[in-house]
């Protein structure tokens, strides 16, 4: 059996406004509310609402055979509540179907794992509480920000009661000759790992509408045909997992409706389920379904799902990014030491990885993607406003 | 005494310090009874006849072309019925004559026809046409060439100089910096009136060493051909003597001044709780922002509570930004970007220490303004302003460890820091343009006499 596991990332950051140095100590509002509302409105209309409705319809049609999973950040949920509560309602309806798994992560979509273990654990706990509160869901699968994973993460997640699976990138440099279709164990053998099958995931997420791509246009028949070829690798009745991980905004936002992305998704479950060797599963099913000795995989260095390098360089490459994040975690520690919990929420909104992504100066292939996703004219500006905000926050101590 | 003055900037048309210096001296000269016909690189061929002190602010306009003058008069008499002219209408008038805020847009290069014919005319003037003179005009012709916008504009101003020479009546020609030297020289040649060349900044200062060869040649010729040269400092005088071989006997030093307001009652409005140190100016090689960044890194090691501000913009901005990140200055250093006048005043009123680590600063008026706000200043010895003020720390721009020592001392002894700032504040109250303009007037008279005795 080959199980398709869909996991969709739902995230919106709090974008900073052009926060000038002369405003330090005068104006403590760092965020661009107008822009954040505008983006939320746009993405809700183009993506969240129509895609959620489609998923609801598919789940109903397939009578429990079609399963999906979501990771929704705390900053996204807060902005749903502020600007588009209707989006949160449709996610709640999805939760009620029982065919949807919610995945744990850091509340603020942060890089805390790499800098401050206690902060990381606190943000994981906050997110878990949020999932319980909003969807009545107890998370057992974990994904770290941008699928960043290394051995140390599995140690930390294993310590938290109830988590048994982690999602990450099927990076070539870790897998070598191995297939991402198997379920693996972390280096110490205590946590299950599901690895993104990046070719097929990115065929949908990035290449779907690319007319320069040899396989354009991607039809459902073609895609299912590729999936069926994969299932030939299935041997001795072992359960395989095709992990299709992507941004939820792929639907209607990165790939516009005109590209046919919704029609593609609408037909996919039916075509998959026609084949008795194919089916859908949730990440938490893998723990039981894996009917073989799972091999352990060591990740001594961090991997992620971003850019061609699949490492941390999208957020932590140049001096601006490194200085900004060092300054941030130094300040966060100070805020906690001085018991200024009133400042903690604002401070944590600045921990979101997007702020560092905007400072990226990778100007070649991936730089285009960075520019597309950045609200600023240049990485320099993103850096200047961020540092100014940190300077003001420190003055408030 | 009537003066024909060529300048590239004059408020409200401001690119750099030259505008403010010209404004200060012109106003003070008018007070002394000097009359000035001011020529700027305007799109329309006009001059500004300045007779009373107020004229420096209202800028009356005269067109060389009477038809255009009529059009202009009609346009503005119908437009403004009121007797007192507001600031906005002055700006409107300047707009009309094509003098917008950035001097880069003064003259459109496309209007430029052949320009070298002007020098052919010069060489037909037999009067006093010596071999040296031949070389001068050959050089001007050769080096006033370039496709850059700025060179086109200088060519245009030079061509027009002939017209101004024909129409206007004056005793002395006064030209500010290389951009107007060829125009000044040409008028001297055509009218045989004495020329005073004023040097505010040399190409050596701007480039941080040898710069554009053409500009060096024009500076050399402009000062050599002048009857007298006014330098803004001893520092600049030494520079033009050693680099351009200008005859020390014809150099007059007139330090720039700054008419400050008395700000003694002003309450400081801090941005940062911690001791705050500022770099304020263009972020260019000449201003030494890189020394400021290194200093910040070292001071923060001893005093993590210190805060640093870089205010301004310039071609080195990105390099300095990246360097500050590389040095891990965290959120202890912030960048404001370009600031308008109001914001400059606000920020000066928020800081404790001002540093001007310029590599080469012919004068450097900015520290005087900082001092007016009672801010303790540390200034580069490689500057003209260091010859003028007493109550400021003076350090070689490259001596970072000395600067660090001073800043650390001031942070550790805030009372001393305050006292120094207060002494500086009092000192700059006495640095006004009146004294400087008296020296300039004396220079005019001298030039007039030298010339008079030569020609008669």
């Amino acid at each position: 059996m080959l199980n398709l596991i869909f996991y969709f990332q739902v995230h919106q950051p709090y974008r900073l406004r052009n926060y000038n140095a002369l405003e330090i100590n005068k104006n403590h509002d760092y965020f661009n509310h107008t822009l954040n509302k505008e983006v939320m409105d746009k993405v809700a209309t183009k993506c969240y609402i129509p895609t959620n409705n489609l998923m609801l319809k598919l789940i109903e049609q397939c009578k429990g055979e079609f399963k999906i999973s979501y990771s929704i950040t705390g900053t996204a949920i807060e902005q749903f509540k502020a600007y588009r509560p209707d989006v949160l309602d449709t996610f709640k309806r999805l939760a009620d179907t029982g065919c949807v798994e919610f995945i744990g992560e850091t509340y603020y979509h942060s890089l805390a794992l790499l800098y401050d273990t206690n902060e990381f654990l606190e943000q994981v706990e906050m997110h878990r509480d949020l999932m319980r509160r909003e969807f009545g869901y107890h998370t057992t699968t974990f994904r770290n920000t941008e699928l960043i994973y290394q051995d140390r993460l599995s140690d930390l997640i294993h310590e938290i009661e109830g988590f048994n699976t982690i999602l990450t990138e099927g990076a070539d440099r870790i897998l070598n000759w191995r297939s991402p279709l198997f379920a693996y164990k972390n280096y110490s053998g205590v946590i299950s790992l599901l690895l993104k099958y990046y070719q097929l995931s990115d065929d949908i997420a990035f290449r779907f509408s690319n007319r320069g791509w040899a396989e354009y246009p991607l039809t459902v028949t073609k895609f299912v045909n590729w999936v069926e070829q994969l299932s030939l690798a299935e041997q001795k009745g072992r359960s395989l997992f095709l992990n299709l991980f992507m941004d939820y905004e792929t639907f209607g936002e990165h790939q516009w409706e005109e590209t046919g992305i919704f029609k593609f998704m609408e037909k996919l479950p039916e075509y998959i389920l026609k084949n008795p060797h194919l089916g859908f599963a949730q990440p938490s099913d893998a723990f039981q379904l894996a009917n073989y000795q799972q091999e352990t995989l060591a990740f001594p260095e961090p991997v992620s799902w971003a850019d061609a390098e699949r490492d941390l360089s999208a957020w932590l490459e140049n001096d601006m990014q490194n200085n900004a994040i060092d300054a941030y975690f130094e300040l966060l520690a100070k805020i906690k030491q001085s018991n200024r919990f009133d400042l903690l929420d604002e401070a944590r909104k600045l921990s979101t990885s997007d702020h560092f992504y905007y400072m990226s100066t990778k100007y070649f292939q991936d730089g285009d993607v960075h520019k597309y996703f950045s609200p600023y004219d240049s990485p320099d500006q993103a850096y200047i406003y961020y540092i100014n905000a940190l300077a003001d926050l420190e003055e408030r101590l | 005494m009537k003066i024909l003055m060529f300048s590239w900037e004059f408020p409200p048309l401001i690119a750099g310090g030259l505008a403010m210096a010209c404004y200060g001296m012109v106003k003070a000269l008018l007070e002394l009874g000097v009359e000035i016909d001011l020529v700027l690189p305007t799109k329309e061929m006009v001059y500004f006849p300045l007779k009373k002190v107020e004229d420096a602010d209202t800028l009356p306009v005269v067109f060389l072309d009477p038809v255009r003058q009529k059009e202009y008069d009609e346009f503005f008499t119908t437009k403004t019925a009121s007797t007192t002219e507001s600031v906005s209408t002055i700006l409107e008038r300047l707009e009309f004559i094509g003098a917008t805020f950035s001097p880069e847009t003064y003259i459109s290069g496309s209007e430029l026809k052949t320009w070298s014919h002007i020098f052919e005319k010069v060489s037909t003037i037999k009067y006093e046409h010596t071999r040296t003179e031949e070389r001068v005009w050959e050089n001007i012709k050769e080096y006033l060439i370039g496709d850059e916008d700025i060179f086109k504009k200088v060519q245009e101003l030079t061509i027009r100089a002939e017209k101004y020479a024909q129409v206007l009546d004056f005793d002395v020609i006064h030209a500010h910096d290389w951009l107007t030297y060829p125009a000044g020289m040409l008028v001297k040649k055509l009218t045989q009136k004495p020329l005073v060349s004023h040097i505010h900044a040399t190409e050596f200062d701007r480039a941080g060493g040898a710069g554009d060869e053409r500009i060096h040649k024009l500076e050399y010729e402009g000062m050599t051909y002048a009857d007298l040269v006014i330098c803004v400092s001893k520092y600049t005088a030494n520079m033009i003597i050693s680099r351009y071989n200008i005859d020390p006997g014809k150099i007059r030093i007139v330090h720039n001044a700054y008419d400050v307001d008395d700000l003694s009652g002003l309450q400081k409005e801090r941005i940062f709780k911690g001791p705050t140190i500022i770099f304020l100016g263009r972020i260019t090689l000449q201003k030494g922002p890189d020394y400021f960044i290194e200093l910040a890194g070292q001071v923060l090691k001893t005093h993590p509570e210190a805060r640093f501000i870089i205010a301004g913009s310039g071609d080195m901005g990105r390099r300095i930004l990246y360097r500050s990140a590389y040095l891990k200055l965290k959120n202890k250093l912030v960048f404001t970007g370009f600031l308008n006048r109001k914001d400059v005043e606000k920020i000066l009123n928020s800081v404790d220490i001002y540093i001007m680590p310029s590599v080469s600063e012919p004068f450097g008026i900015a520290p005087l303004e900082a001092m007016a706000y009672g801010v303790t200043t540390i200034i580069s010895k490689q500057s003209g302003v260091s010859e003028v003020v007493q109550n400021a720390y003076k350090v070689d721009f490259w001596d970072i460890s000395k600067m660090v020592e001073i800043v650390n001392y001031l942070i550790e002894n805030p009372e001393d820091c305050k006292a120094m700032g207060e002494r500086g504040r009092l000192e700059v109250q006495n640095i006004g343009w009146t004294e400087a303009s008296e020296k300039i007037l004396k220079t005019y008279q001298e030039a007039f006499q030298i010339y008079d005795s030569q020609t008669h």
Side-chain angles (χ1 to χ4, degrees), chain B residues 23-47:
Chain B
Y23 175 77
M25 81 176 68
V26 162
K27 220 170 158 172
L29 283 167
L30 292 170
E31 248 164 53
L32 295 176
V34 176
E35 290 183 13
I36 298 167
D37 287 335
L38 175 67
V39 174
L40 297 172
T42 47
K43 194 154 183 289
E44 297 280 345
M45 215 181 288
V46 299
Y47 67 95

Side-chain angles (χ1 to χ4, degrees), chain B residues 13 39-48 94 97-99 106-107 156-157 160 164:
Chain B
L13 323 170
V39 174
L40 297 172
T42 47
K43 194 154 183 289
E44 297 280 345
M45 215 181 288
V46 299
Y47 67 95
F48 305 90
L94 292 174
I97 59 171
Y106 276 152
I107 297 173
E156 169 93 24
L157 188 75
R160 289 181 178 190
Y164 291 112

Side-chain angles (χ1 to χ4, degrees), chain B residues 128-393:
Chain B
E128 208 192 47
H129 195 71
T130 61
R131 257 190 88 220
T132 343
E133 278 237 24
E134 236 169 89
R135 193 218 62 214
V136 169
W137 298 112
E138 280 307 312
N139 270 346
I140 297 288
K141 231 194 290 189
E142 191 181 337
Y143 290 103
L144 188 50
I145 284 193
D147 289 330
E148 300 95 326
D149 206 35
I150 192 82
F151 272 83
K152 296 267 180 221
K153 286 169 183 165
V154 173
Q155 286 166 13
E156 169 93 24
L157 188 75
T158 309
I159 295 169
R160 289 181 178 190
E162 187 194 7
K163 295 259 170 37
Y164 291 112
Q166 287 163 356
V167 172
L168 299 175
D169 178 37
F170 48 89
D171 303 310
V172 176
I173 311 149
H174 187 171
H176 295 283
D177 275 357
W178 74 271
L179 296 149
T180 71
Y181 284 174
M185 291 167 70
L186 197 66
V187 176
K188 169 177 169 169
K189 180 67 193 170
L190 297 170
T191 63
Q192 299 142 43
K193 298 281 171 63
L195 170 65
V196 174
S197 289
H198 202 134
I199 184 86
H200 295 262
T202 69
E203 179 68 358
F204 293 107
D205 303 307
R206 286 183 294 264
D212 191 317
E213 196 198 346
R214 296 167 299 175
I215 299 175
H216 282 308
K217 286 283 180 188
L218 295 171
E219 286 182 342
Y220 169 78
E221 296 295 358
M223 288 186 280
T224 307
Y225 197 69
D227 298 272
L228 291 174
V229 176
I230 297 177
C231 287
V232 292
S233 61
K234 281 182 208 142
Y235 176 75
T236 301
N238 287 333
M239 176 100 73
I240 64 166
I241 292 166
S242 64
R243 304 287 185 110
Y244 289 130
N245 211 13
I246 303 299
D247 171 12
K250 67 178 199 186
I251 295 175
R252 303 291 175 270
I253 292 163
V254 182
H255 288 112
N256 278 343
Y258 182 71
D259 291 315
V260 296
D261 300 324
D262 186 357
L263 302 169
S264 50
L266 200 64
Q267 270 299 319
K268 234 184 181 44
E269 274 192 49
R270 306 195 65 85
I271 292 175
F272 294 112
K273 290 189 212 93
T276 312
I277 300 113
I278 192 169
F279 172 97
L280 176 68
R282 281 179 295 117
I283 308 178
T284 59
L285 189 82
Q286 186 195 345
K287 303 290 178 184
D290 37 345
Y291 297 95
F292 183 80
I293 291 277
E294 301 299 323
L295 165 125
Q298 291 187 31
V299 170
L300 282 167
K301 280 182 197 145
T302 324
H303 290 288
E305 78 279 18
R307 291 293 178 273
F308 295 84
I309 300 173
I310 292 195
S313 59
D315 58 18
M316 246 173 110
R318 175 163 287 180
R319 218 171 95 193
I320 293 299
L321 183 76
Y322 289 179
R323 179 76 186 160
S324 75
Y326 171 81
L327 289 174
K328 283 278 153 72
L329 301 185
K330 306 275 172 60
N331 54 342
K332 323 291 185 212
L333 174 115
V334 296
F335 290 84
T336 68
F338 179 82
L339 296 182
N340 60 31
R341 280 302 309 163
K342 237 179 86 197
D343 286 339
V344 166
E345 286 164 15
K346 249 192 229 164
I347 210 153
L348 283 176
N349 194 33
S350 77
V351 301
D352 304 293
I353 301 169
Y354 170 100
I355 304 183
M356 184 184 75
S358 295
V359 173
S360 185
E361 192 72 72
F363 189 76
I365 219 159
L368 300 180
E369 189 175 13
M371 288 167 81
Y373 280 86
V375 176
T376 301
T377 57
I378 302 173
I379 53 181
S380 157
K381 278 184 185 168
Q382 287 68 36
S383 73
V385 70
S386 67
E387 298 162 18
V388 177
V389 294
Q390 302 309 313
N391 294 292
Y393 293 90

